[in-house]
Amino acid sequence: MEVTSAVHSFGCLNFQTRSSQLEKLNNNGTFFVSTRITTTQNNSFLHGYLHPVNNIITKSNGAYGINHSNNSKSVIIKSTSSPTSSESSSEVEKIKQKCLKWKWKGQYSINYFVSSDSDSPQPNHPPLLLVHGFGASIPHWRRNIKTLSQNYTVYAIDLLGFGASDKPPGFSYTMETWAELILDFLDEVIKKPTVLIGNSVGSLACLIAAASGMIQPDSSETLVRGIVLLNCSGGMNNKAIVDDWRIKLLLPLLWLIDFLLNQKGIASAIFERVKQRENLRNILSSVYGNKESVDDELVEIIREPANDEGALDAFVSIVTGPPGPTPLQLVPKFSLPILLLWGDEDPFTPIDGPVGKYFSSLPSQRENVKLFLLEGVGHCPHDDRPELVHEKLLPWLAALSSIGNTKASC
């Protein structure tokens, strides 16, 4: 999930966006807002602020390229089933019980998970690192870990400021900080070439980590085998815009919201309203295509860490901070295998928005990129309709593993 338009859910103005999303981006990030506004009786104050907000260095290989015929640049996958809450509830508790702690930079406690159901993982199967989006945490992968760990060692991490990781009071969060955290985790904990799998802002953090690692070839070439982007974010928040009169009209309101969030008392009141169960459910329902996946468990996955000390500071810092680099700046640097899985009903990073259009254009231009559109899926495909994600992810991972542990290169 990702931080985005406050207008999307500005309850005191009593309107809510539903469709026709516009995505604004400049050199630093993106902003999304709908051009169609409808009134509603039950709005969360910052509905859209829960819209948050993988790759290094392997040689291009035709196995990951796109067939350049007109019918194969992207594939739409339809779902026929959906998970139930009872199927995943025990998985969340198992995940929490198996979590470990890692001390980052000698001062920050980072929560992480590692699992492998395979008695003897195949040597050519790279480990996987799952990176959540804004407001989420390790349990957001509740419907994926069991499947993936049958053949792979699966790691998942709570980014600083989220989940059960530290939330330092007054900390200034940036995309680059999370990217550094990911690189250090690969270097100090996993210590093997890894496939990065991120959702939304987690995808962007992985891209930045990969790009940063390229500057240090001794480490980056051995840290990342490939990247999987699930509805990748264009920025940490809504600061980045391009010339579009519809967005410019909203700039005064966006500046006002940032000003209000920098007032401690007002920010606290806003945050308390955002994390109410009913409001969280409404927010999640607006970004999930499969409404059955928005269960009580998911609401608690998002809500529980929001009650921690430092969670408010993290919320304000992320919403009001710099958006960070954009995918348009980062992706051209890579030739490693990239798998794009995109929900076609995402209201925050729509496939027909600027960032979505950029990613959808890549398969016809770059042999290392593959894209699949997932029909009826929203912003969080892995939890929304996990069976569709697994259907495309597992064969891609198998093909990547078949290459072996060949040293990656640009």
Side-chain angles (χ1 to χ4, degrees):
M1 310 209 326
E2 181 174 351
V3 181
T4 188
S5 168
V7 178
H8 189 119
S9 58
F10 206 81
C12 63
L13 296 181
N14 197 36
F15 59 71
Q16 185 175 23
T17 59
R18 293 296 185 189
S19 63
S20 303
Q21 298 292 325
L22 298 173
E23 181 187 69
K24 303 299 296 177
L25 77 102
N26 62 5
N27 289 333
N28 293 320
T30 60
F31 167 75
F32 308 101
V33 62
S34 170
T35 57
R36 188 176 73 182
I37 297 174
T38 58
T39 60
T40 182
Q41 296 299 318
N42 295 307
N43 304 87
S44 67
F45 189 78
L46 289 174
H47 188 162
Y49 267 9
L50 279 188
H51 167 38
V53 162
N54 314 328
N55 161 313
I56 278 188
I57 306 172
T58 192
K59 184 173 290 185
S60 296
N61 189 298
Y64 309 105
I66 193 74
N67 185 320
H68 288 196
S69 67
N70 292 334
N71 296 323
S72 61
K73 292 183 180 179
S74 64
V75 178
I76 296 180
I77 308 300
K78 297 183 179 181
S79 174
T80 57
S81 63
S82 61
T84 63
S85 177
S86 60
E87 290 174 340
S88 59
S89 58
S90 60
E91 291 304 313
V92 169
E93 291 308 313
K94 290 178 183 177
I95 289 169
K96 289 182 177 180
Q97 291 170 8
K98 290 189 67 174
C99 282
L100 304 169
K101 299 294 182 182
W102 166 59
K103 194 66 100 175
W104 183 44
K105 294 183 176 293
Q107 56 181 324
Y108 302 119
S109 177
I110 301 299
N111 189 52
Y112 76 95
F113 169 91
V114 57
S115 174
S116 175
D117 292 342
S118 176
D119 294 333
S120 54
Q122 298 184 32
N124 286 345
H125 283 199
L128 314 178
L129 176 60
L130 311 179
V131 184
H132 61 80
F134 179 85
S137 56
I138 293 170
H140 201 212
W141 302 98
R142 58 189 171 150
R143 292 168 172 152
N144 316 106
I145 287 175
K146 186 175 182 180
T147 296
L148 295 175
S149 62
Q150 291 176 5
N151 292 296
Y152 299 88
T153 300
V154 177
Y155 292 83
I157 192 171
D158 282 340
L159 296 174
L160 189 71
F162 296 115
S165 288
D166 277 354
K167 303 169 183 64
F171 190 89
S172 296
Y173 293 88
T174 65
M175 292 301 311
E176 291 85 350
T177 298
W178 290 329
E180 183 181 3
L181 168 62
I182 291 170
L183 275 179
D184 288 345
F185 187 79
L186 296 177
D187 187 40
E188 298 178 22
V189 179
I190 301 181
K191 300 179 180 180
K192 293 180 180 179
T194 301
V195 174
L196 303 179
I197 304 175
N199 173 227
S200 190
V201 73
S203 290
L204 184 57
C206 290
L207 281 175
I208 299 170
S212 300
M214 290 181 67
I215 303 174
Q216 308 170 33
D218 290 342
S219 62
S220 68
E221 289 185 0
T222 58
L223 288 180
V224 183
R225 285 279 300 277
I227 183 169
V228 180
L229 306 178
L230 304 168
N231 287 66
C232 185
S233 166
M236 188 172 75
N237 54 40
N238 58 16
K239 295 299 181 306
I241 60 172
V242 294
D243 292 333
D244 188 301
W245 64 271
R246 292 162 292 193
I247 300 302
K248 290 182 177 180
L249 287 176
L250 295 171
L251 282 178
L253 179 56
L254 300 178
W255 293 331
L256 172 62
I257 292 170
D258 276 5
F259 171 77
L260 294 175
L261 287 176
N262 280 302
Q263 314 306 309
K264 189 74 172 181
I266 297 175
S268 179
I270 293 172
F271 191 56
E272 287 301 316
R273 182 165 181 178
V274 167
K275 66 182 183 180
Q276 291 176 4
R277 287 185 176 89
E278 182 179 355
N279 287 336
L280 284 175
R281 186 180 295 276
N282 290 337
I283 292 166
L284 291 163
S285 294
S286 75
V287 300
Y288 272 59
N290 177 22
K291 309 308 179 187
E292 294 181 4
S293 289
V294 183
D295 52 23
D296 292 340
E297 183 177 78
L298 176 59
V299 172
E300 291 306 313
I301 287 173
I302 305 299
R303 184 176 184 273
E304 184 178 351
N307 291 318
D308 292 346
E309 182 178 358
L312 171 60
D313 286 355
F315 174 79
V316 172
S317 176
I318 293 165
V319 171
T320 63
T326 71
L328 284 73
Q329 296 172 288
L330 301 168
V331 173
K333 300 178 181 180
F334 304 117
S335 59
L336 78 166
I338 300 176
L339 175 64
L340 301 169
L341 299 177
W342 213 279
D344 71 342
E345 292 187 2
D346 184 357
F348 291 151
T349 52
I351 194 64
D352 60 352
V355 168
K357 286 181 178 179
Y358 171 73
F359 277 119
S360 63
S361 72
L362 291 177
S364 63
Q365 303 171 18
R366 301 171 66 93
E367 293 185 348
N368 61 310
V369 179
K370 204 165 201 175
L371 166 69
F372 294 96
L373 297 181
L374 307 180
E375 187 176 79
V377 180
H379 189 63
C380 307
H382 60 291
D383 191 53
D384 193 329
R385 296 196 183 271
E387 74 281 1
L388 298 188
V389 170
H390 299 156
E391 180 181 338
K392 308 316 297 183
L393 174 59
L394 293 176
W396 184 86
L397 288 173
L400 179 64
S401 301
S402 68
I403 297 176
N405 292 320
T406 303
K407 188 176 180 180
S409 62
C410 286

